[in-house]
Amino acid sequence: MTDRFARLALSCVHKDYPNKISHVLNSAADAATPRELYPAFYGCFDWHSSVHGHWLLVRILNTDPETPYADAIKTALAQSFSEENIAGEVAYFQAPDRASFERPYGTAWFLQLMTELREADFPEAAEWAGTLAPLETLIADYTSAWLPKLVYPIRAGTHNQTAFAFGLMIDWADATGNTAFREQIAAKSREFYSGDVSCPLGYEPSGEDFLSPCLMEADLMRRVMDREAFAAWLTAFLPLIPQDGNGDWLAPGVVLDPSDGKLVHLDGLNLSRAWALEGIASALPEADPRRPALLASAALHKETGVASVSEEHYAGSHWLASFATYLETRRGLSAE
């Protein structure tokens, strides 16, 4: 299964166009091509998709070292992860008015990439982690400076959502032993979300969501609460989770035009819902009567979501394989 995901990532990590940039120009000199702006992460249509496309490739080496694409993956990663390229990425972030670039979604995925490199046991990984470390440090520092100034959570179903990003950031902190950063994220998570009740899951999804605001919040909170406290919090937060074991209580999102870059977000929603539902279930006591319904819905969303991953339309092919790999390899659960 993951071999086809590897092919999709390999086909885009060094594909220049089409490309959508999010770019602050400080002068006419800043008008440049994506490859010139972001010399490591210019492919896959946008910076964050390039980052999690690279993450996908490292993840496959970690979970399927015998993949027939191992040599191609290592060649592609070596091309991206040069000292010169990462110096260019760092310089981009350090330019005026760019501290918020790709915050928090893209920067969270970059930390997830670093998690994967630091947990890898193939010999190139340690060298690449060292090469990428300056950008890792910069992103962690920028995030730590931002958090005290963030007064409210961002509850969107797209890139700006804080709950999803915080979850990836906590997993990176756990993998790297950065306890101070972990506690900073955990404290902000509790501040934002511990008092939430009756999340309106019935209002989801919005028409361009790829992250569930309700389910991603719960998937975050399992990381910062003990099992009993989380089970009680979930009762108040999502009181309508059934106890009959059926999976049809939450319908997968529907995409009528997979060539539309915004509408196809809902294919990603099905994948991210599936991993969030699995994560929520994993944090509940074994005998909790909600677990069967959570897992049944996860299976339904997984079946729908994985079937949508195809190379037919670049609107989805440049990113959906990363979401599918995160789900299929149980990345969100492996930190437990």
Side-chain angles (χ1 to χ4, degrees), residues 1 4-5 8 210 251-255 258 264-275 297-311 316-317 319-325 327-328:
M1 176 67 75
R4 74 181 182 98
F5 301 155
L8 289 173
F210 60 87
V254 176
V255 175
V264 79
H265 278 180
L266 290 156
D267 283 332
L269 175 78
N270 293 327
L271 295 164
S272 64
R273 273 183 173 180
W275 81 58
S297 184
L300 177 62
H301 280 79
K302 178 178 180 178
E303 180 181 10
T304 305
V306 171
S308 74
V309 182
S310 131
E311 64 185 21
S317 69
W319 68 281
L320 285 172
S322 297
F323 274 44
T325 300
L327 170 63
E328 290 277 13

Side-chain angles (χ1 to χ4, degrees), residues 54-88:
H54 285 83
W55 165 83
L56 181 163
L57 296 175
V58 180
R59 181 66 176 165
I60 289 175
L61 289 180
N62 283 349
T63 57
D64 184 18
E66 302 304 315
T67 175
Y69 294 98
D71 289 342
I73 289 172
K74 290 180 179 180
T75 298
L77 294 175
Q79 179 178 334
S80 297
F81 297 162
S82 70
E83 290 186 5
E84 180 181 5
N85 286 347
I86 301 307

Side-chain angles (χ1 to χ4, degrees), residues 199 201 215 218 230-231 233-246 249-250 277 280-281 284 288-295 297:
C199 195
L201 189 58
L215 297 181
F230 175 71
W233 176 87
L234 188 67
T235 298
F237 181 67
L238 289 174
L240 298 182
I241 298 174
Q243 301 184 19
D244 60 5
N246 289 327
W249 57 279
L250 185 63
L277 289 161
I280 294 163
L284 293 173
D288 192 297
R290 295 168 290 186
R291 293 184 81 251
L294 288 165
L295 293 173
S297 184

Side-chain angles (χ1 to χ4, degrees), residues 24-295:
V24 174
L25 291 89
N26 291 298
S27 73
D30 286 338
T33 66
R35 187 188 288 251
E36 291 168 327
L37 296 171
Y38 334 120
F41 301 118
Y42 58 84
C44 295
F45 191 69
D46 48 42
W47 193 88
H48 51 261
S49 298
S50 179
V51 168
H52 58 63
H54 285 83
W55 165 83
L56 181 163
L57 296 175
V58 180
R59 181 66 176 165
I60 289 175
L61 289 180
N62 283 349
T63 57
D64 184 18
E66 302 304 315
T67 175
Y69 294 98
D71 289 342
I73 289 172
K74 290 180 179 180
T75 298
L77 294 175
Q79 179 178 334
S80 297
F81 297 162
S82 70
E83 290 186 5
E84 180 181 5
N85 286 347
I86 301 307
E89 296 280 344
V90 170
Y92 184 84
F93 270 79
Q94 289 178 325
D97 299 318
R98 292 191 188 143
S100 64
F101 176 68
E102 288 284 349
R103 185 183 73 196
Y105 179 79
T107 52
W109 270 113
F110 181 82
L111 294 180
Q112 182 70 29
L113 167 61
M114 294 304 297
T115 302
E116 210 64 51
L117 285 172
R118 294 192 181 283
E119 291 182 349
D121 58 8
F122 57 92
E124 298 90 344
E127 177 184 351
W128 289 334
T131 301
L132 272 63
L135 184 55
E136 176 186 38
T137 299
L138 189 64
I139 285 174
D141 288 347
Y142 279 1
T143 303
S144 291
W146 169 61
L147 288 171
K149 297 179 283 190
L150 184 65
V151 179
Y152 309 104
I154 304 168
R155 300 181 185 275
T158 52
H159 307 87
N160 289 336
Q161 187 192 112
T162 44
F164 169 71
F166 285 1
L168 292 191
M169 290 173 177
I170 284 175
D171 291 348
W172 169 79
D174 288 341
T176 57
N178 192 330
T179 55
F181 185 89
R182 188 199 203 281
E183 182 49 37
Q184 189 180 23
I185 296 284
K188 185 59 75 170
S189 300
R190 291 188 289 266
E191 173 191 335
F192 281 168
Y193 303 119
S194 62
D196 285 357
V197 298
S198 299
C199 195
L201 189 58
Y203 289 0
E204 298 183 20
S206 293
E208 298 179 353
D209 281 358
F210 60 87
L211 300 169
S212 162
C214 291
L215 297 181
M216 283 299 161
E217 179 176 336
D219 196 38
L220 166 67
M221 294 305 284
R222 72 175 172 88
R223 292 168 161 93
V224 301
M225 306 177 84
D226 64 38
R227 193 176 293 268
E228 291 72 21
F230 175 71
W233 176 87
L234 188 67
T235 298
F237 181 67
L238 289 174
L240 298 182
I241 298 174
Q243 301 184 19
D244 60 5
N246 289 327
D248 58 2
W249 57 279
L250 185 63
V254 176
V255 175
L256 299 182
D257 182 4
S259 70
D260 186 300
K262 293 296 183 69
L263 297 179
V264 79
H265 278 180
L266 290 156
D267 283 332
L269 175 78
N270 293 327
L271 295 164
S272 64
R273 273 183 173 180
W275 81 58
L277 289 161
E278 289 182 350
I280 294 163
S282 75
L284 293 173
E286 285 291 328
D288 192 297
R290 295 168 290 186
R291 293 184 81 251
L294 288 165
L295 293 173

